[in-house]
Amino acid sequence: MLKKIGYGALAALLLIQFIKPTRNMSDAATPNDISNKYAIPADVDAILSSSCYDCHSNNTRYPWYANIQPVAWWLADHVEEGKREINFNEFLTYKPKKAHHKMEEVVEMVNEGEMPLESYTVVHRDAKLDPAQRKVIADWATGIMQQIATEHGIGQKDSTATH
């Protein structure tokens, strides 16, 4: 009986290898990329590339184990969730208030050490941010927030109001 269960499980494992999720890879131009409107200094770009873009862009660098099911399904779900939170390649599609809020979340998540995720940095050790890198990203995102706020009057209160 156990032998049959083992063979059945092995057959199922082999069969699911043929059911592959769509990869998050695009050769298309990204007209809505954040860099098309906001400056991304070289140090920030290097950090975003190594620590953020795999989950928060339209192009993921896949490791070898992304070819094994069910790991590939888990990775695909993880990437889709990350892109729902913020997609730097689609940033210019966000309305100003949403874009401002997304940058606010970047600052919060990076400062609190919640991003990049520990489950990601365990495998991608080069993605782990040190305090200086966290400050670089937080300062950059704060600058973007300030630009958005200035351009669109977000968060600005009536200067005649008393507190």
Side-chain angles (χ1 to χ4, degrees):
M1 180 69 173
L2 286 176
K3 208 175 207 182
K4 286 182 181 180
I5 292 172
Y7 285 137
L10 182 59
L13 188 60
L14 289 173
L15 285 174
I16 67 172
Q17 299 311 307
F18 296 101
I19 306 168
K20 298 184 184 281
T22 303
R23 293 233 171 181
N24 182 47
M25 298 172 80
S26 174
D27 291 330
T30 54
N32 295 313
D33 192 271
I34 191 169
S35 65
N36 290 334
K37 184 168 183 175
Y38 303 103
I40 302 180
D43 57 343
V44 171
D45 191 48
I47 296 167
L48 292 175
S49 293
S50 69
S51 302
C52 307
Y53 285 164
D54 277 348
C55 297
H56 299 286
S57 78
N58 292 336
N59 285 293
T60 300
R61 294 170 294 148
Y62 288 95
W64 65 269
Y65 54 83
N67 293 310
I68 301 170
Q69 309 310 335
V71 174
W73 296 333
W74 178 78
L75 288 173
D77 183 61
H78 185 80
V79 168
E80 284 304 312
E81 182 181 341
K83 286 172 58 175
R84 277 192 303 271
E85 292 300 321
I86 188 170
N87 184 338
F88 291 106
N89 291 145
E90 302 298 333
F91 190 81
L92 298 183
T93 65
Y94 301 153
K95 292 184 183 204
K97 281 186 179 182
K98 182 176 181 178
H100 186 273
H101 181 68
K102 293 297 181 183
M103 286 292 112
E104 190 174 43
E105 288 179 334
V106 167
V107 172
E108 180 182 331
M109 294 294 183
V110 168
N111 281 341
E112 292 179 5
E114 292 185 34
M115 281 290 144
L117 293 175
E118 188 174 343
S119 61
Y120 182 76
T121 59
V122 164
V123 178
H124 302 89
R125 298 224 183 260
D126 62 326
K128 192 168 180 93
L129 301 178
D130 63 34
Q133 290 171 311
R134 289 187 184 286
K135 181 174 179 356
V136 166
I137 293 296
D139 289 350
W140 170 76
T142 299
I144 302 295
M145 284 173 50
Q146 291 169 345
Q147 281 182 263
I148 295 168
T150 299
E151 289 174 12
H152 301 281
I154 296 171
Q156 298 175 354
K157 296 182 180 168
D158 182 1
S159 60
T160 62
T162 57
H163 299 289

